[in-house]
């Protein structure tokens, strides 16, 4: 049997749904923090199977969605510099900057912008193009950052002077804490992202559950994983227990990945970070340590951009706080579609708007 | 004074040079040494700009397609057999018996002749398997860096028997939708080769001309309504085009979609949806539901049709859309692909 099959089998899903229905007597609002979970909930249309008492809120866990417009503007400015090659993951090249242009637009204008599948691909590009400055648009959460440390350690070892990172790195616990303190963001329980916890471990989430007084389930991405996580937080909520359960034990060791964390600490240090749609959250980002600051593209190139004037009517910030559903945004499905996205959450497959649009029923 | 040797433009070389596209002796030599021996037939040997072809009284099917795949060679095939199979399958989808192909090459300066020979050899073998002749062609060479090694355009002509009527206008409520094999193999094979992704198993492209499947199907089933090969944009985009063109609702059963486990796993890993991944060696078939079992029996008798499945039905003729029924009975819209599928970040 193929590995993922049991987690999609009808009989398992039906059994989990039955258990949820029995347990969910009290209304509960559950935030899935991760974009991958939002995507899976939409793709498998899990929400419509849940009882009316259970409401899912789509959190801020999509790195494309939370990267601020001014950072996209910086990437655009760097890409326009002569002799520069900008490398990016695929999703990011379609995100419009504050002027409406994206990296994809610049690519059609002839600028050297490359989609890569792994940050390590940028190493080869830098090695093969010593006369060009190669910049990797390094966005992401705790899961992606260890990959950037591999890139950096190799660049340092080889003394590659033509490679740098435009970083936009976030960490989730501070953002979760911030959101749960927001009086407009009503959540009773959280689904934490399994792949993030496979790096961070679950100790920090234990603390988070105590501080926020909410149950948390560390959850995977298959339909059965999500239903099981939902079932466990409902169970804890019913019992009034604000603690963490590891509902994804097959992938998440409680201690996480110590080596990945060690390497992350070697190169990066926490900082305050601006999240698109949410504002500045203290201690929720990572920046390069002073010893490695020369690898930060912002320090290497002149790419000062002015802060966007806030005229974009995209309401992704409110969507990420659970204040409105994507369908309540006046742009959704009209002016804003995956073909012509007005905001990042319509670009990324893991953005709530794109997932809602793509997997809609009518 | 030293007079350097004259650099003869016709000196032997192992690579394509701009001179190969100049229309002169080098072009001629290329055609005579590579293309003519590979595709030899009486019509090509007319050695004219075009071929004069005998044509019985019948309806003509005519199609053209360009192939720009990178890498040129991938597990299960290369740009050469792709260029023949793709155009043959387009003719088959018209209900035609494919007869003649043209082959136009755009070659990049510096392309090893050996690479070209391998591609041409693959074209010859594919043409032989599909029962078509490559009867005319063209060669152009562009400067180094102006193309990805080698591009091929193939056009094809076939004849449609008088009793065959295939087209969007025939798609109707009650039709069964059959796919002749597993989906996503070609796109994932190309992607994994291009990006150097080392999966535990090699996923091979399914590129093939489905001549025998279609001829046996048309001979054995009384009324086939529609044939399409779901190439770029994958199954979803092709079905959306059909739904839009025919003004019908197509409802698929997710559980019945044939996706091989390694393809599913690779797509999950990369954040791609196999329903939007390109295919090459499969066809979508629309026919009355009462003939579906018989059609499946015929298709599965062919080596390229072993994985054939009934995947859904035309359920309505008022609203053009494609719906997907999920495991627990929920239904969602299956949209067209927006832009290109992009791999996810985390």
């Amino acid at each position: 049997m193929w590995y993922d099959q049991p987690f999609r089998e009808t009989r398992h899903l039906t059994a989990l749904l039955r258990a949820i229905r029995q347990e969910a007597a009290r209304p509960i609002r559950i935030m899935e923090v991760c974009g991958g979970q939002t995507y899976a909930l939409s793709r498998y249309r899990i929400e419509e199977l849940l009882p009316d008492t259970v409401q899912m809120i789509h959190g801020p866990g999509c790195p494309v969605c939370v990267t601020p417009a001014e950072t996209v503007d910086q990437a655009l400015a760097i890409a326009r510099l002569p002799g520069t090659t900008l490398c990016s993951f695929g999703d990011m090249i379609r995100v419009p900057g504050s002027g409406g242009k994206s990296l994809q637009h610049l690519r059609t204008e002839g600028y050297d912008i490359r989609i890569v599948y792994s940050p390590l691909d940028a190493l080869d590009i830098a090695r093969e193009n010593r006369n060009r400055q190669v910049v990797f648009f390094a966005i992401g959460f705790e899961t992606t950052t260890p990959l950037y440390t591999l890139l950096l350690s190799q660049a340092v070892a080889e003394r590659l002077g033509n490679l740098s990172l435009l970083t936009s790195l976030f960490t989730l616990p501070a953002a979760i804490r911030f959101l749960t303190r927001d009086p407009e963001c009503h959540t009773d329980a959280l689904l934490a992202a399994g792949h993030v916890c496979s790096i961070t471990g679950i100790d920090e989430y234990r603390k988070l559950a105590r501080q926020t007084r909410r149950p948390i389930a560390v959850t995977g991405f298959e339909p059965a994983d999500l239903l099981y996580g939902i079932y466990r937080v409902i169970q804890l909520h019913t019992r009034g227990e604000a603690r963490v359960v590891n509902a994804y034990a097959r992938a998440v060791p409680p201690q996480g990945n110590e080596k990945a964390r060690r390497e992350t600490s070697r190169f990066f240090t926490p900082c305050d970070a601006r999240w698109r749609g949410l504002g500045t959250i203290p201690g929720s980002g990572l920046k390069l340590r002073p010893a490695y600051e020369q690898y930060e593209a912002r320090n290497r190139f002149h790419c000062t951009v002015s802060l966007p004037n806030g005229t974009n009517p995209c309401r992704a910030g409110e969507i990420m706080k659970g204040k409105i559903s994507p369908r309540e945004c006046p742009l959704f499905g009209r002016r804003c579609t995956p073909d012509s996205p007005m905001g990042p959450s319509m670009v990324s497959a893991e953005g709530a708007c794109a997932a809602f649009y793509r997997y809609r029923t009518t | 004074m030293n007079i350097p040797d004259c650099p003869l433009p016709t000196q032997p070389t192992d690579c394509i040079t701009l001179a190969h596209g100049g229309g002169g002796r080098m072009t001629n030599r290329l055609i005579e040494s590579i293309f003519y021996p590979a595709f030899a037939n009486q019509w090509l040997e007319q050695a004219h700009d075009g071929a004069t072809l005998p044509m019985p009284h019948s309806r003509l099917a005519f199609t053209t397609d360009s192939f720009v795949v990178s890498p040129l060679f991938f597990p299960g095939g290369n740009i050469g057999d792709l260029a023949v199979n793709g155009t043959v399958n387009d003719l088959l989808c018209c209900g035609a018996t494919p007869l003649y192909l043209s082959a136009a090459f755009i070659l990049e300066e510096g392309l090893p002749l050996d690479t070209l020979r391998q591609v041409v050899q693959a074209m010859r073998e594919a043409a032989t398997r599909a029962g078509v002749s490559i009867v005319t062609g063209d060669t152009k060479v562009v400067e180094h860096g102006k193309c990805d090694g080698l591009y091929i355009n193939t056009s094809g002509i076939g004849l449609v028997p008088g009793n065959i009527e295939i087209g969007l206008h025939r798609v109707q409520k009650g039709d069964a939708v059959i796919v002749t094999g597993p989906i996503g193999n070609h796109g994932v094979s190309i992607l994994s080769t291009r990006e150097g992704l080392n999966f535990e198993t090699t996923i091979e492209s399914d590129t093939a001309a489905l001549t025998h499947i279609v001829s046996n199907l048309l001979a054995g089933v009384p009324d086939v309504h529609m044939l399409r090969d779901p190439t770029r944009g994958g199954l979803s985009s092709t079905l959306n085009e059909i739904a839009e063109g025919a003004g019908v609702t197509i409802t698929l059963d997710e559980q019945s979609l044939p996706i091989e486990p390694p393809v599913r796993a690779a797509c999950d890993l990369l954040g791609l949806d196999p329903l939007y991944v390109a295919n090459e060696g499969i066809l979508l078939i629309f026919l009355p539901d009462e003939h579906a079992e018989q059609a499946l029996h015929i298709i599965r008798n062919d080596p390229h049709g072993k994985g054939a499945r009934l995947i859904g039905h035309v359920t309505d003729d008022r609203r053009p859309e494609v719906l997907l029924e999920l495991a627990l009975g929920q239904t969602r819209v299956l949209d067209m692909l927006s832009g290109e599928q992009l791999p996810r970040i985390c």
Side-chain angles (χ1 to χ4, degrees), chain B residues 8 26 32 34 38 40 52 56 60 112 120 155 168 170 174-175 184 195 202 250 266 279 283 288 291 306 319 321 334:
Chain B
L8 286 173
M26 291 283 276
E32 285 182 2
I34 291 190
T52 310
L60 192 71
V120 166
S155 296
L168 282 171
R170 307 242 20 235
D175 275 2
E195 304 303 331
T202 301
I250 300 167
N279 307 284
L283 291 181
H291 301 316
K306 295 218 176 299
R319 195 184 167 100
E321 65 180 358
L334 200 57

Side-chain angles (χ1 to χ4, degrees), chain A residues 2 4-5 8 10 13-14 17 39 42-46 48-49 63-64 89-92 94 104 107 115 117 139 143-144 195 222 338-339 350 357-362, chain B residues 191 194-195 197 201 254-255 261-262 264-265 268 270-274 276 319 321 323 326-335 337-346:
Chain A
W2 197 250
D4 59 17
Q5 276 312 103
R8 295 178 189 179
T10 311
L13 304 183
T14 310
L17 280 166
Y39 171 82
S42 288
R43 179 175 175 181
Y44 298 105
R45 299 214 63 81
I46 287 172
E48 69 193 63
L49 300 171
V64 174
F89 288 122
D91 286 23
M92 263 336 269
R94 294 185 62 218
Q104 195 165 37
R107 202 158 70 143
I115 296 177
Y117 283 73
I139 73 160
T143 42
T144 325
H195 58 351
E222 294 295 333
D339 286 332
E350 297 180 4
Y357 186 85
R358 189 159 170 193
Y359 298 123
R360 66 197 186 280
T361 50
T362 54
Chain B
L191 188 69
R194 185 169 62 211
E195 304 303 331
L197 307 172
T201 54
E254 189 185 42
Q255 305 272 66
R264 188 189 291 280
D268 280 351
L270 295 166
L272 305 176
D273 188 335
Y276 294 91
R319 195 184 167 100
E321 65 180 358
L323 302 175
L326 306 180
L328 297 176
Q330 328 93 295
T331 302
R332 66 169 165 84
V333 171
L334 200 57
D335 219 345
L337 178 63
S338 296
E340 54 184 326
Q341 267 211 111
L342 299 168
R344 68 160 164 236
I345 288 169
C346 60

Side-chain angles (χ1 to χ4, degrees), chain B residues 106-326:
Chain B
I106 294 175
L107 309 173
E108 185 183 11
E109 182 185 19
L111 176 79
L113 279 176
D114 197 43
T115 303
L116 180 61
R117 275 195 202 94
Q118 286 181 55
V119 168
V120 166
Q121 175 70 15
M123 291 178 77
R124 178 170 76 171
E125 288 166 10
T128 305
R129 279 196 299 272
V132 294
S133 301
I134 297 170
V135 295
T136 187
D138 180 46
T139 307
K140 295 284 184 293
V141 177
V142 294
E143 287 171 49
H144 182 72
K146 293 281 172 66
C147 92
D148 236 351
L150 161 65
Y151 298 153
I152 303 175
N153 170 277
T154 46
S155 296
I157 286 174
L159 290 180
V160 186
N163 61 332
I164 300 294
E165 187 65 40
I166 285 171
L168 282 171
H169 62 286
R170 307 242 20 235
V171 173
Q172 55 195 262
K173 189 175 171 183
D175 275 2
V177 185
I178 287 172
V179 66
T180 60
I183 62 174
N185 293 46
H186 175 73
V188 172
S189 159
I190 296 282
L191 188 69
S192 57
T193 313
R194 185 169 62 211
E195 304 303 331
L197 307 172
N198 294 315
F199 296 127
E200 281 179 14
T201 54
T202 301
I203 298 165
E204 291 202 347
S205 165
D206 56 359
T207 176
L210 301 176
T211 315
H212 300 299
I213 286 184
V214 173
S215 58
N216 292 337
L217 184 72
L218 294 178
V221 175
D223 197 14
V224 175
H225 289 167
M226 181 69 184
L227 295 165
R228 275 292 296 276
D229 53 343
T231 51
R232 273 183 307 170
L235 197 76
S236 290
S237 298
T238 305
L239 287 171
N240 268 282
E241 281 170 27
I242 295 171
E244 193 67 40
V248 298
T249 301
I250 300 167
T251 305
L252 302 182
D253 171 13
E254 189 185 42
Q255 305 272 66
S256 69
L257 292 172
I259 305 169
E260 290 178 345
V263 171
R264 188 189 291 280
C267 285
D268 280 351
L269 190 70
L270 295 166
L272 305 176
D273 188 335
L275 298 180
Y276 294 91
V277 172
N279 307 284
E280 277 298 333
I282 58 170
L283 291 181
L284 285 164
I285 299 164
F286 287 67
L287 42 64
D289 191 45
E290 63 264 31
H291 301 316
E293 275 309 312
Q294 190 186 353
L296 281 168
H297 180 71
I298 292 170
I299 298 163
R300 285 176 183 153
N301 272 334
D302 188 279
H304 296 301
K306 295 218 176 299
R309 294 264 192 97
L310 174 69
I311 57 170
H313 287 89
V314 178
T315 49
D316 197 294
D317 51 13
R318 288 163 297 179
R319 195 184 167 100
E321 65 180 358
V322 183
L323 302 175
L324 187 66
E325 274 183 359
L326 306 180

